[in-house]
């Protein structure tokens, strides 16, 4: 069994910029540079045969390559505390949403359950470990509208994720290039 998700790996230049944003605040874990990605679809535990079908279906997914703006920061909260610090991707990039739909179709065609919650594209850059909104506020205000550059999206990846005490470890299982 593999715990799988589909995501877009960011170009090295973007990862470097986002990694360098770390405000080094207590109660906030920054995501290691090599793990920065945009999740397209979280799939969960998948057994070998289904993973084979998924790989085949994902291998058929192609959309025109596109440029994705990385812009602004925000948080998702859990129990009144920031749990996820994210970087946004501007307003509803059509090619990104088309890619998301194609990936969801591939997951369904493989006989797996796609996460059907609304898609809110973001790149997780930090995880709250008890930090308060107030402590994070100056960082959020400073970067609310900052432009972090453009990611040239020419493909996506199937990742496996192993849960560990210091945070999940991701491994690229499949690279699908459409350009
Ligand atoms: O890209 P982000 O960080 O928003 O939170 C997990 C991460 O999202 C999410 O999948 C991404 C890659 O690990 N994730 C983990 N477990 C999940 C679940 N049970 C989940 N998403 C939905 N349902």
């Amino acid at each position: 069994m593999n715990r799988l998700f589909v995501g877009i790996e960011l170009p090295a230049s973007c990862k470097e910029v986002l990694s360098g944003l770390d405000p080094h605040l207590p109660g906030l874990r920054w995501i290691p540079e090599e793990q920065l990605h945009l999740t397209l679809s979280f799939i969960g535990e998948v057994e070998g045969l289904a993973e084979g079908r998924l790989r085949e279906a994902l291998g058929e997914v192609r959309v025109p390559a596109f440029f994705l703006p990385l812009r602004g920061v925000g948080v998702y909260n859990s129990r009144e505390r920031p749990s996820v610090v994210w970087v946004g991707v501007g307003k509803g990039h059509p090619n990104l949403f088309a890619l998301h739909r194609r990936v969801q179709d591939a997951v369904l065609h493989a006989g797996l359950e796609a996460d059907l919650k609304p898609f809110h594209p973001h790149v997780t850059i930090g995880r709250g470990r008890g930090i308060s909104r107030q402590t994070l506020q100056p960082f959020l205000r400073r970067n609310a509208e900052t432009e972090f550059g453009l990611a040239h999206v020419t493909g996506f990846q199937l990742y496996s994720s192993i849960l560990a005490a210091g945070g999940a470890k991701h491994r690229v299982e499949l690279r699908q290039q459409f350009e």
Side-chain angles (χ1 to χ4, degrees), residues 16-29:
E16 203 178 311
V17 170
L18 300 188
S19 178
L21 274 183
D22 186 357
H24 299 284
L25 296 169
L28 180 64
R29 190 178 73 82

Side-chain angles (χ1 to χ4, degrees), residues 3 5 37 39 42 115 122 124 127 170:
R3 187 172 184 268
F5 69 96
H37 66 276
T39 301
F42 179 81
D115 181 358
H122 63 271
T124 297
R127 292 200 180 267
H170 300 161

Side-chain angles (χ1 to χ4, degrees), residues 67-144:
F67 284 95
L68 190 64
L70 299 173
R71 179 171 182 278
V73 298
V75 292
Y76 294 139
N77 296 308
S78 157
R79 282 176 253 111
E80 314 276 306
R81 298 243 161 197
S83 57
V84 167
V85 183
W86 48 258
V87 158
V89 293
K91 281 213 181 74
H93 197 294
N95 297 34
L96 177 64
F97 280 82
L99 176 58
H100 172 252
R101 268 198 309 278
R102 297 289 314 275
V103 166
Q104 295 292 69
D105 285 347
V107 173
L108 292 171
H109 272 122
L112 293 163
E113 252 175 70
D115 181 358
L116 297 176
K117 285 198 291 292
F119 180 45
H120 296 295
H122 63 271
V123 178
T124 297
I125 52 174
R127 292 200 180 267
R129 294 284 184 263
I131 193 169
S132 69
R133 174 90 197 192
Q134 199 183 5
T135 308
L136 203 50
Q137 198 59 32
F139 170 81
L140 296 176
R141 208 171 284 139
R142 207 164 51 240
N143 291 294

